[in-house]
Amino acid sequence: MPRARSRAGPAAGSPHRAGESGDDGGGLRKDTSNMSFEELLELQSQVGTKTYKQLVAGSSTKKQGCRPPVQNACVADKHRPLEMSAKVRVPFLRQVVPISKKVARDPRFDDLSGEYKPEVFDKTYQFLNDIRAKEKQLVKKQLKKHRSGEKHEQLQQLLQRMEQQEMAQQERKRQQELRLALKQERRAQAQQGHRPYFLKKSEQRQLVLAEKFKELKRSKKLDSFLSRKRRRNAGKDRRHLPLNKD
């Protein structure tokens, strides 16, 4: 007859498993770095695979903790060059040094310069009129010294340019005075209870021409102006005439 199996615990000489007994493997050898492969297999069969992996992981962590810590390159010196990996392909076009793009700023069309007001501008830079008058007198003196030659032509053109700028400034000033008078007139009418009326651009041009006509008549230059205007209009009409093929 077969012998009945004994339900008693394992024999005294048989090894205990760490998972089955209360012992957590504290009596076993924790350092597995100096063990041979045969001893490692024997240890795995004694304590089990799970406990064996924990022991091996603990010994590897202990070995890594003995190494000196490696300093981070960024923490050591933030100004040192960046180390690029040799395994990453460098792009063909890359920005080595960042360059800030320069944006051109024109004060004539920039909002930071404020709104252009001719009255305020002329009042602020009124001292330039005295400087222009002195420059004009200096050019006239130089023109008297050089009666002929290339220098005489340059001074003559400069003097003519100054006179044209002065005439244009006077004309602009007259138009500003006319606009200011119209604005004051509209304001007075509004205070009296009338409905405000704003002139069209064509009506404003007519008023400017009327003032110019009065100024030319006052300075006795009306005839010369009308003759030049007549010749200019005749030249414009001549362009639209059909050519005589005969």
Side-chain angles (χ1 to χ4, degrees), residues 103-138:
V103 181
R105 176 178 174 270
D106 194 344
R108 298 174 300 172
F109 310 104
D110 200 345
D111 296 337
L112 297 176
S113 301
E115 185 180 358
Y116 173 69
K117 295 181 179 180
E119 298 84 3
V120 179
F121 181 83
D122 293 340
K123 189 175 181 179
T124 306
Y125 296 97
Q126 193 174 4
F127 64 93
L128 293 177
N129 297 331
D130 300 334
I131 299 175
R132 292 193 188 101
K134 293 179 181 179
E135 290 179 350
K136 187 178 179 180
Q137 294 296 331
L138 183 60

Side-chain angles (χ1 to χ4, degrees), residues 47-233:
V47 300
T49 306
K50 184 176 181 181
T51 309
Y52 170 77
K53 289 182 179 180
Q54 292 178 358
L55 290 175
V56 174
S59 62
S60 62
T61 306
K62 186 178 179 181
K63 283 182 64 179
Q64 291 179 1
C66 297
R67 296 180 181 177
V70 181
Q71 285 187 344
N72 192 0
C74 298
V75 176
D77 188 4
K78 64 179 181 179
H79 299 292
R80 68 186 297 178
L82 182 62
E83 297 181 5
M84 302 297 292
S85 175
K87 298 181 180 180
V88 180
R89 180 176 294 180
V90 180
F92 178 70
L93 298 174
R94 64 190 182 99
Q95 191 173 3
V96 181
V97 179
I99 301 174
S100 59
K101 183 179 179 181
K102 294 183 179 180
V103 181
R105 176 178 174 270
D106 194 344
R108 298 174 300 172
F109 310 104
D110 200 345
D111 296 337
L112 297 176
S113 301
E115 185 180 358
Y116 173 69
K117 295 181 179 180
E119 298 84 3
V120 179
F121 181 83
D122 293 340
K123 189 175 181 179
T124 306
Y125 296 97
Q126 193 174 4
F127 64 93
L128 293 177
N129 297 331
D130 300 334
I131 299 175
R132 292 193 188 101
K134 293 179 181 179
E135 290 179 350
K136 187 178 179 180
Q137 294 296 331
L138 183 60
V139 171
K140 286 182 178 179
K141 290 180 180 179
Q142 293 290 332
L143 191 60
K144 290 180 181 179
K145 293 180 181 180
H146 301 83
R147 296 290 182 179
S148 61
E150 185 179 356
K151 188 68 174 179
H152 175 77
E153 294 180 359
Q154 292 179 358
L155 292 172
Q156 188 71 28
Q157 291 178 0
L158 181 58
L159 181 61
Q160 186 178 2
R161 178 62 178 166
M162 287 182 174
E163 291 176 352
Q164 289 177 357
Q165 289 179 351
E166 188 177 355
M167 292 174 60
Q169 186 178 3
Q170 292 176 0
E171 181 66 24
R172 185 169 60 252
K173 189 175 181 180
R174 281 195 298 269
Q175 292 182 6
Q176 289 177 7
E177 292 176 353
L178 179 61
R179 285 197 296 268
L180 183 60
L182 291 174
K183 187 182 294 184
Q184 291 177 355
E185 184 180 356
R186 288 198 300 266
R187 189 176 300 170
Q189 291 178 359
Q191 289 178 356
Q192 293 176 2
H194 297 282
R195 186 177 181 181
Y197 174 73
F198 298 95
L199 295 176
K200 300 178 182 178
K201 290 185 178 180
S202 58
E203 296 175 350
Q204 293 179 6
R205 284 195 295 266
Q206 290 177 3
L207 290 175
V208 170
L209 289 175
E211 289 293 327
K212 189 174 182 180
F213 180 81
K214 292 179 182 178
E215 181 65 26
L216 290 172
K217 192 174 182 179
R218 192 181 307 113
S219 60
K220 298 181 181 180
K221 296 180 181 179
L222 182 61
D223 296 335
S224 60
F225 175 77
L226 291 177
S227 62
R228 288 197 305 270
K229 189 76 172 177
R230 200 177 294 114
R231 286 196 300 269
R232 195 181 301 117
N233 292 337

